[in-house]
Amino acid sequence: MDNMKTRFAPSPTGYLHIGGARTALFNYAYAKHNGGKFALRIEDTDFERSEKRFEEDIIESLKWLSIFPDEETIFQSERLGIYKSYVVQLLKENKAYYCFCSKELLEEDRNKLIAENKKPMYVGRCRELKPDEALLKTPHVIRFRVDRSSGAATGFKDLIRNQYINVNNDEIDDFVLVREDGIPTYNFAVVIDDALTGITHIVRGDDHLSNTPKQIMLYNALGFNAPEFAHVSMILGSDGKRLSKRHGATSVNQYKKEGFLPEALVNYLIRLGWSHGNDEIFSMEDIIKYFDLKNISKSAAVFNTEKLLWLNSHYIKLKDPFILINLINDIKDDFQSPLSIDIKTAALVESLKSRAKTLVELRNKLDFFIGETIDYKDEILNEFNFNENDSAFLKSFGEFIAGLSDEIFNCGDMDLTARTGKENALEKLKNSIESIKNEFNGFLSKNNWTMKEKAMLIRLAFTGEKVSPPIYEMIFSLGKERCVERIEKFSDYIINIKR
RNA sequence: GGCCCCAUAGUCUAGCGGUUAGGACGUUGCCCUCUCACGGCAGUAACACGGGUUCGAAUCCCGUUGGGGCUGCCA
């Protein structure tokens, strides 16, 4: 299709959530795959619930996910005049009518119908009314006149199910087009905007499935060609209920804050309900290359954080440490100081990146390095029975560190703002680690010690924890002075434990 | 309640009338190993049920059950 155009049309009544993000991604991917355009429209006709901050969040979150609209974003609140002219047309053609029923009266009708076990629909009290000017000054809404001729039905073909969905018109209420305050309702505004902006394909959640016949009626009544429709199933929480705040993080920005990479979230979302054979890893480029509606699943999908975490760790492993440092600094909260962009930090990040599933986790594993001092904790150290041999080892280990050549630690003087500078620094780092390894192994074998028996002692001395980054990297990053300092402090500590 | 949609392992899915029902996450075991990870290898686990159609059904049709959605002057 030459001039395909899709759109994402969220209402700014909340942050961009996972379901919306997936819908946006599907629309974006579909348009891009077919060489078409993707548009963003903010459906802010509910003035009560719409908020500027949500609008901004939606736009920012889409950008973060690399979902870029091809056209200027449309705001429905700025198009009220346009909708109005089309209502006038419908009224003139007798396809819509004024309704003066009060909300209280409607509520009564409704309760009555429910009590009689009937479908609660508008009773049609004003359907044939010819209001005079005086009456028009009283509060009213405008309703769509649904074709009530017997057997009338409205249908459309759903691209995902690849089948026609038909609904009897008597299932469809004379729905409101314009509210009492003159603001158009959702079903009316979407149709006008989608038609006027040339949207050819609408991909949306299947919670809209039952709205579609109403919208088809409107397209017909207004003389527009209806676009194609594709209804994607919902995303469910682990309990099988529709995904909501109860299930934990649901907004895109929250995933960002929790240390997820946009690549991971995009990859996860595209695979939630869509597949391309047995492939699991998709870059945005791959997605655009392969995406097609025919591979979208008809059934609802349960959101699974474990798989998202797996993808996140996959993408973290692919990043170079300097980029990771920047990413971590991007999401740091107000209480944290930014990581410094230097080779010592990079060395640890590099060795830690396969050990963390999120950026937040990665940052936390750096605590021992960022903190000036370490508080050794009895509850951890009491598990070990330190003895004189340990003290002796620590003493000579400290001397070994102090005796290391300064040259080994010297690679912090490169220009890390340039790509080649980073590459050189990383190259030098590799050599330094290699040197430390050789020196250290020499030191061990000279004394008939093994890595296995001494590693935990060093780990505890450097971090106070039983789990740490690899030892060579820690020696490099902490540097001679801090290593020696910690070794001495730790020695003192374990001597006191023994007593 | 009415209308609509859906149904392969715990989860995401491949399958599109003939397969030992494939992959991924998770999980379990082993290997690697300075801890924890990464990585490698192996294992675990599914066609909701009942009728048809057919030589043959996970695949097509109907029903049952289960789940979801809609039933707003929200979107």
Side-chain angles (χ1 to χ4, degrees), chain A residues 47-63:
Chain A
F47 297 141
E48 291 288 312
R49 298 195 304 145
S50 293
E51 289 185 39
K52 191 81 186 164
R53 65 192 170 108
F54 294 140
E55 189 181 299
E56 284 161 359
D57 176 80
I58 289 166
I59 291 168
E60 280 308 304
S61 294
L62 287 175
K63 196 185 291 178

Side-chain angles (χ1 to χ4, degrees), chain A residues 308-366:
Chain A
L308 209 208
L309 281 166
W310 171 71
L311 281 164
N312 205 47
S313 56
H314 170 81
Y315 284 102
I316 286 176
K317 275 176 257 172
L318 260 33
K319 296 245 181 250
D320 97 61
F322 292 105
I323 288 176
L324 287 170
I325 292 172
N326 284 325
L327 289 169
I328 289 169
N329 286 340
D330 279 349
I331 60 162
K332 75 175 178 63
D333 64 40
D334 298 338
F335 302 101
Q336 292 175 327
S337 49
L339 298 175
S340 55
I341 302 169
D342 58 34
I343 191 65
K344 290 182 191 305
T345 310
L348 287 175
V349 168
E350 179 63 19
S351 67
L352 248 18
K353 71 183 186 184
S354 65
R355 294 168 161 79
K357 288 185 155 73
T358 67
L359 295 174
V360 170
E361 203 185 326
L362 183 48
R363 151 85 206 204
N364 290 341
K365 287 182 188 297
L366 249 23

Side-chain angles (χ1 to χ4, degrees), chain A residues 400 434-447 449 451 472:
Chain A
F400 159 75
E434 192 60 28
S435 304
I436 291 171
K437 179 183 173 186
N438 292 336
E439 295 286 336
F440 185 65
N441 285 341
F443 160 72
L444 286 177
S445 58
K446 195 175 71 188
N447 292 287
W449 287 323
M451 181 62 143
Y472 311 133

Side-chain angles (χ1 to χ4, degrees), chain A residues 97-150:
Chain A
Y97 62 91
Y98 294 101
C99 172
F100 301 88
C101 299
S102 69
K103 285 178 184 167
E104 294 70 29
L105 186 55
L106 258 20
E107 185 64 26
E108 263 177 51
D109 289 344
R110 202 186 131 77
N111 291 335
K112 205 181 292 175
L113 287 166
I114 290 172
E116 293 169 22
N117 228 334
K118 287 181 188 160
K119 193 177 172 65
M121 284 172 66
Y122 178 57
V123 296
R125 192 176 289 108
C126 301
R127 202 171 142 105
E128 304 306 333
L129 200 66
K130 299 276 180 291
D132 56 26
E133 269 183 51
L135 188 55
L136 280 175
K137 291 210 170 70
T138 64
H140 59 266
V141 300
I142 297 171
R143 288 180 184 273
F144 184 71
R145 187 187 304 276
V146 172
D147 177 7
R148 297 292 173 211
S149 45
S150 89

